[in-house]
Structure formats: structure tokens, C-alpha cells
């Protein structure tokens, strides 16, 4: 029960929800997340560290850059959670704007290493059953 409580506490912040929304589209460099959320790097890093401690995201370092992705997104329990969040996020104005801003940032190469891959972080299959 503690793990469930921990996950929902982590998702109880608008900035962290916005970050998870972005990571549904795949692994991202911190600079892209910072660009989209229009916040400072230390603030974004604190939110990402919180999500990492709660086992919602994983990171990897590539030189001086740090990349984040959803943790175990293809494991059954996480896949259900992320699919549910994807459906929940549909129609949320701020999250839709964030997704468009991310797409534009990647297209303009604000971070030369990120790629636009819509919902690539979550396994296709459950998504069609969760749509409204």
C-alpha cells in the first residue's frame, strides 16, 4: 500500500504531472523538459529527482546531459498507470499545450538529441481499450 501512496503523492503536483505527460512520448533530455515547462533547471531537476525516488522515472547520463524516461513503462502495473494517465490527460489544455511545445522544440532542435515519438514510452495495445 505504501508504494501506491508514494506514486499518487508524486503525481499530486502539477509540474510533475506535466513532466510525466511529456515523458509519455519517450525519453527526453532535461533541457527539453525545462524548455517546455519554462522553469529553471534546478526546479525541473528537483521534480525529476522526486519522480525518480518514487520509481516513476529512470535517468541515464550521456556526457553532460541527463535523459529521463518512464520507469518500467512496459511492466503491466506501470503500463496500466501510464495508459490511464494518458487518457486522463486528454483534453487538458495545459498538457495539450505542453505536448505541442515539446513537438515544436524537438522539430526546431532545441536539444539536438531528443526525438519526437508520440506515446512511444507506453506499449501500444492497452491504449485502444482506454480511449473514451
Amino acid at each position: 500500500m505504501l508504494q501506491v501512496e508514494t506514486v499518487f503523492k508524486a503525481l499530486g503536483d502539477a509540474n510533475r504531472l506535466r513532466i510525466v505527460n511529456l515523458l509519455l512520448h519517450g525519453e527526453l533530455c532535461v533541457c527539453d523538459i525545462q524548455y517546455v515547462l519554462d522553469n529553471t533547471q534546478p526546479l525541473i531537476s528537483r521534480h525529476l529527482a522526486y519522480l525518480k525516488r518514487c520509481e516513476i522515472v529512470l535517468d541515464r547520463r550521456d556526457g553532460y546531459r541527463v535523459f529521463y524516461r518512464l520507469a518500467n513503462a512496459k511492466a503491466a502495473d506501470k503500463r496500466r498507470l501510464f495508459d490511464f494517465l494518458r487518457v486522463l490527460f486528454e483534453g487538458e489544455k495545459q498538457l495539450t499545450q505542453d505536448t505541442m511545445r515539446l513537438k515544436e522544440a524537438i522539430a526546431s532542435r532545441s536539444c539536438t538529441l531528443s526525438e519526437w515519438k508520440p506515446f512511444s514510452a507506453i506499449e501500444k495495445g492497452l491504449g485502444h481499450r482506454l480511449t473514451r
Side-chain angles (χ1 to χ4, degrees):
M1 190 67 167
L2 182 60
Q3 178 63 22
V4 172
E5 180 182 0
T6 301
V7 167
F8 280 97
K9 280 183 179 179
L11 297 173
D13 177 86
N15 284 313
R16 290 192 291 270
L17 285 172
R18 291 175 71 192
I19 290 169
V20 169
N21 176 57
L22 297 176
L23 293 176
L24 287 172
H25 300 288
E27 183 177 75
L28 295 172
C29 180
V30 172
C31 59
D32 281 322
I33 298 168
Q34 178 185 350
Y35 175 82
V36 172
L37 271 60
D38 194 27
N39 273 313
T40 64
Q41 184 272 327
L43 178 66
I44 299 301
S45 292
R46 275 196 306 274
H47 284 301
L48 286 163
Y50 191 103
L51 290 168
K52 184 179 173 185
R53 279 192 308 275
C54 297
E55 301 178 1
I56 295 173
V57 302
L58 297 172
D59 67 343
R60 75 172 175 87
R61 188 168 293 280
D62 184 4
Y64 64 91
R65 293 187 180 184
V66 181
F67 292 84
Y68 284 86
R69 66 187 180 281
L70 296 177
N72 305 314
K74 305 216 179 193
D77 59 339
K78 292 283 176 76
R79 188 180 64 223
R80 284 190 299 270
L81 173 65
F82 297 139
D83 278 340
F84 172 73
L85 290 173
R86 189 185 92 189
V87 171
L88 203 62
F89 292 167
E90 288 176 7
E92 288 292 327
K93 185 177 179 182
Q94 180 65 63
L95 300 178
T96 301
Q97 290 172 345
D98 288 349
T99 301
M100 294 307 300
R101 190 166 159 92
L102 174 64
K103 188 176 179 180
E104 292 166 4
I106 291 171
S108 69
R109 311 292 279 169
S110 68
C111 175
T112 58
L113 302 176
S114 294
E115 297 178 41
W116 176 246
K117 298 178 188 176
F119 300 112
S120 63
I122 52 179
E123 186 174 271
K124 292 169 183 41
L126 276 185
H128 71 277
R129 285 185 263 166
L130 293 173
T131 56
R132 296 179 199 176

